[in-house]
Amino acid sequence: MAFRKELPYTHGSPASTAVVLVNLGTPDAPDAPSLRRYLRQFLSDPRVVEIPRAVWWFILNGIILPFRSSKSAAKYASIWTEEGSPLRVHTQRQAAALGVQLAARGHHQLQVTYAMRYGTPSLPQVLDQLKEQGCTRILVLPAYPQYSGTTTASIFDAVFEHYRQVRNIPELRLIRNYHDQDGYIQALRQSVLDHWELNGRPDKLVMSFHGVPKRTLLLGDPYHCECYKTARLLAQSLGLSEGEYLVTFQSRFGKAEWLQPYTAPTLQELGRQGVRRVDVMCPGFTSDCLETLEEIAMEVKHDFLQAGGKEFHFIPCLNEAPAWIGGMVEIVEQHLAGWPTMSNGAARDEAARQALISAERAKALGATQ
């Protein structure tokens, strides 16, 4: 194996730490060529589609990409903003706000950035940039509260694959999940209460999570169980009885059976049953995106109203809500434990002095840098 060219090692360089918030990804523009590039990368991931590669190659390139790219582009165009893709905008803002709050708590020897698993800025690109900046410790924070082999594990794959060809690897920490972390649950609770304070309460609160094939559950993926635990903890925090909320799964793709109940048919049935008002939220998404703004707030809303429902409310994702930024701070601080990211001016001066001494010693032994 040929390792990638390494930056010259400089003795006495101060150690530094970075947090990388990683989201799923987004096309660069709401047009067919951009969607084709994005979908090819996304749907070529064997973590996402577990079909024999030769068979899937023909399906992807012969059917899905030629016909789905334009349809998907139209959907993205319906939610695109002047700043660009909502998912990228919110992820970027979350990373910026997280950095500000961590600095306010004394983490001055720490930087926060963001990356995408698919699309740009790519995770390998961001990891390379951090290496060029001398980062020796990296904490990876997936934007997925619930672990799944189709999402979280794919981020881990990308990290490991990237460093497979790197000689000088930084110290790594990977956050697996936070589906039951109190700061996350309380942020969800606050978003619901804020919505209800302005709009009143619904007849039913629907918590819609992204779906995955049912076979993943049968093969040992904990995603299904973690979604239900999130829902149970949130319902308890809101004081809801079992009859006042529902858990559903959206975004089914293909003909295989996925986790049920499916969101759209469930909302249609609620409309037919005479349920007047539903509030729908997507706890598994920390940033609003195509699946929340178009699939839920537009398509599922239409289905519910057409079936006889009278009032449909979409509760936005956590996005940059202060309670969620605070929850992220809690999660990150738990995983930074033991890393020297907090220091005052005197401590930084002493660290710089020790680094200088180390460099001089190395040069005395023959080092050139």
Side-chain angles (χ1 to χ4, degrees):
M1 177 188 295
F3 291 99
R4 300 168 64 184
K5 185 176 181 180
E6 197 75 33
L7 293 171
Y9 179 74
T10 302
H11 290 274
S13 298
S16 63
T17 305
V19 176
V20 185
L21 174 63
V22 187
N23 214 327
L24 182 77
T26 177
D28 293 321
D31 56 43
S34 298
L35 262 296
R36 195 172 295 112
R37 288 193 301 271
Y38 172 71
L39 290 175
R40 178 177 286 111
Q41 184 186 12
F42 175 41
L43 296 177
S44 294
D45 188 343
R47 288 281 190 181
V48 175
V49 180
E50 295 185 54
I51 294 177
R53 294 293 92 189
V55 174
W56 180 241
W57 189 93
F58 283 104
I59 296 174
L60 177 61
N61 292 280
I63 301 174
I64 294 177
L65 295 181
F67 297 102
R68 188 173 178 182
S69 297
S70 296
K71 293 181 180 179
S72 295
K75 292 177 181 290
Y76 271 99
S78 70
I79 65 162
W80 214 257
T81 72
E82 292 183 0
E83 296 177 83
S85 164
L87 181 140
R88 179 182 284 118
V89 170
H90 288 305
T91 305
Q92 185 175 23
R93 290 176 180 172
Q94 286 173 341
L98 177 60
V100 169
Q101 289 301 313
L102 286 168
R105 292 174 64 87
H107 296 276
H108 299 296
Q109 294 180 276
L110 176 70
Q111 64 170 304
V112 181
T113 187
Y114 77 100
M116 299 296 173
R117 175 61 183 91
Y118 315 104
T120 57
S122 73
L123 183 53
Q125 174 188 2
V126 171
L127 294 177
D128 275 341
Q129 290 172 350
L130 292 174
K131 186 174 182 63
E132 291 174 3
Q133 295 165 14
C135 283
T136 54
R137 295 179 293 263
I138 295 177
L139 173 64
V140 178
L141 169 61
Y144 319 125
Q146 296 78 25
Y147 173 91
S148 172
T150 62
T151 53
T152 315
S154 181
I155 290 177
F156 293 178
D157 284 347
V159 172
F160 299 147
E161 181 62 28
H162 175 75
Y163 285 119
R164 220 172 141 256
Q165 295 179 298
V166 173
R167 190 179 303 277
N168 188 7
I169 298 175
E171 186 175 357
L172 296 169
R173 292 182 183 177
L174 312 174
I175 298 179
R176 174 184 166 87
N177 55 13
Y178 42 91
H179 63 290
D180 56 356
Q181 203 269 348
D182 187 61
Y184 164 64
I185 298 298
Q186 292 306 314
L188 291 173
R189 175 179 182 272
Q190 191 61 53
S191 71
V192 174
L193 293 179
D194 289 346
H195 186 84
W196 287 354
E197 184 177 358
L198 293 175
N199 302 282
R201 295 171 68 99
D203 299 309
K204 190 85 68 173
L205 175 65
V206 179
M207 304 179 198
S208 179
F209 293 85
H210 197 289
V212 295
K214 183 179 178 180
R215 69 185 297 272
T216 62
L217 169 63
L218 303 179
L219 292 173
D221 195 303
Y223 177 74
H224 176 267
C225 301
E226 293 190 3
C227 289
Y228 270 94
K229 185 171 185 180
T230 294
R232 175 173 58 81
L233 292 175
L234 176 57
Q236 288 176 352
S237 73
L238 292 168
L240 299 179
S241 66
E242 289 188 6
E244 293 179 299
Y245 74 96
L246 278 173
V247 174
T248 63
F249 296 90
Q250 64 183 85
S251 307
R252 180 188 177 194
F253 176 75
K255 296 182 179 180
E257 182 180 1
W258 282 37
L259 296 181
Q260 296 194 44
Y262 301 137
T263 299
T266 299
L267 268 292
Q268 290 174 327
E269 182 59 28
L270 291 177
R272 286 191 288 267
Q273 291 175 358
V275 175
R276 180 177 179 83
R277 171 181 161 179
V278 295
D279 285 8
V280 183
M281 66 184 305
C282 301
F285 297 89
T286 52
S287 297
D288 275 314
C289 54
L290 183 74
E291 287 80 3
T292 66
L293 298 173
E294 195 277 336
E295 182 180 355
I296 297 298
M298 295 182 188
E299 291 185 7
V300 172
K301 175 181 180 179
H302 176 267
D303 292 342
F304 175 71
L305 297 178
Q306 285 292 106
K310 303 302 180 185
E311 201 173 341
F312 181 102
H313 288 237
F314 170 65
I315 300 177
C317 293
L318 295 173
N319 298 323
E320 306 85 54
W324 173 227
I325 302 304
M328 293 175 73
V329 168
E330 290 182 17
I331 295 167
V332 167
E333 285 190 325
Q334 290 173 7
H335 292 270
L336 287 175
W339 280 357
T341 60
M342 303 178 73
S343 67
N344 54 33
R348 289 195 294 272
D349 291 343
E350 176 60 20
R353 190 180 74 84
Q354 292 297 329
L356 181 61
I357 292 174
S358 175
E360 292 302 323
R361 288 173 177 168
K363 289 179 180 178
L365 293 172
T368 58
Q369 295 193 49

